[in-house]
Amino acid sequence: DADVTQTPRNRITKTGKRIMLECSQTKGHDRMYWYRQDPGLGLRLIYYSFDVKDINKGEISDGYSVSRQAQAKFSLSLESAIPNQTALYFCATSDISGTNTGELFFGEGSRLTVL
Amino acid sequence: AQSVAQPEDQVNVAEGNPLTVKCTYSVSGNPYLFWYVQYPNRGLQFLLKYITGDNLVKGSYGFEAEFNKSQTSFHLKKPSALVSDSALYFCAVRVHMYSSASKIIFGSGTRLSIRP
């Protein structure tokens, strides 16, 4: 089983619909992230959470919200999806403790298409 | 502003030849630098990192990267390319924010294509 699991892997929806992307991890990491990938733009940070009570906006948080339900779960919501939110979304985790230096561990991605 | 740049959208190399994928960065303080690889329809995988010490770091799949502080670069290299190295490569830098908080920012990616 994957250490970082994202569901759904693919989703097609219509403008105005509410969408939730879910992420769960078995790595025991405190830190979790949501990134968005667009061709030619690399990965851009949407939201990040350093623990269950610490949630922060990234560089492109408008139109998105998140919920950290537990250490292992971090979900991303699009309250009213629009076409320019069509992208590949990645959840990632990291751990900065001891000898760990914060490299990220990624899920397989959730491809979202908004029509 | 703190940033990381990958000046080449695509790099084409013949199998067996050496390859270089370029990365430059702009951060305050000592940088933590990373390379990740993304194969089609997959998430990103960690390749290697530079934290401190030897400027040449070795990573997975025979890749290595050279840290150059004066040129603020962290180029990815491999002595002999394989067709299976064809993928999208991302350079990233860890940015310190406050206390123990930090985040990782990514370059725009370089597509590496190895021809047989």
Side-chain angles (χ1 to χ4, degrees), chain A residues 29 93-95 100-105, chain B residues 34 36 46 49 104:
Chain A
H29 290 168
T93 72
S94 73
D95 180 23
N100 293 312
T101 49
E103 55 262 39
L104 295 170
F105 296 86
Chain B
F34 305 86
Y36 289 84
F46 169 74
K49 65 185 177 186
I104 294 180

Side-chain angles (χ1 to χ4, degrees), chain A residues 9 31 33 35 37 40-43 45 48 50 54 56 88 90 96 99 101-104 106-108 111, chain B residues 32 34 36 38 41-44 46 49 51 88 90 94 97-98 100-104 106-109:
Chain A
R9 293 292 311 279
R31 303 185 179 201
Y33 310 78
Y35 283 90
Q37 183 180 19
L41 295 178
L43 275 74
L45 184 60
Y48 56 103
F50 288 160
D54 183 7
N56 305 277
L88 185 57
F90 286 104
I96 300 182
T99 58
T101 49
E103 55 262 39
L104 295 170
F106 285 84
E108 296 285 275
R111 184 170 297 280
Chain B
Y32 285 18
F34 305 86
Y36 289 84
Q38 184 182 26
N41 301 315
R42 301 296 299 276
L44 280 72
F46 169 74
K49 65 185 177 186
I51 303 303
L88 187 57
F90 290 96
R94 181 176 149 194
M97 296 184 297
Y98 58 88
S100 63
S102 62
K103 60 181 180 180
I104 294 180
F106 288 82
S108 56

Side-chain angles (χ1 to χ4, degrees), chain B residues 18-55:
Chain B
L19 69 88
T20 298
V21 182
K22 296 179 180 178
C23 173
T24 59
Y25 64 91
S26 174
V27 297
S28 56
N30 295 319
Y32 285 18
L33 296 157
F34 305 86
W35 275 100
Y36 289 84
V37 59
Q38 184 182 26
Y39 298 103
N41 301 315
R42 301 296 299 276
L44 280 72
Q45 298 176 35
F46 169 74
L47 267 183
L48 51 79
K49 65 185 177 186
Y50 171 82
I51 303 303
T52 187
D54 194 347
N55 288 343

Side-chain angles (χ1 to χ4, degrees), chain A residues 36 46-47 60-66 76-78 85 89:
Chain A
R36 168 178 170 161
I46 306 173
Y47 270 95
I60 55 164
S61 59
D62 288 348
Y64 301 94
S65 63
V66 290
L76 176 72
S77 294
L78 288 68
Q85 291 177 313
Y89 291 85

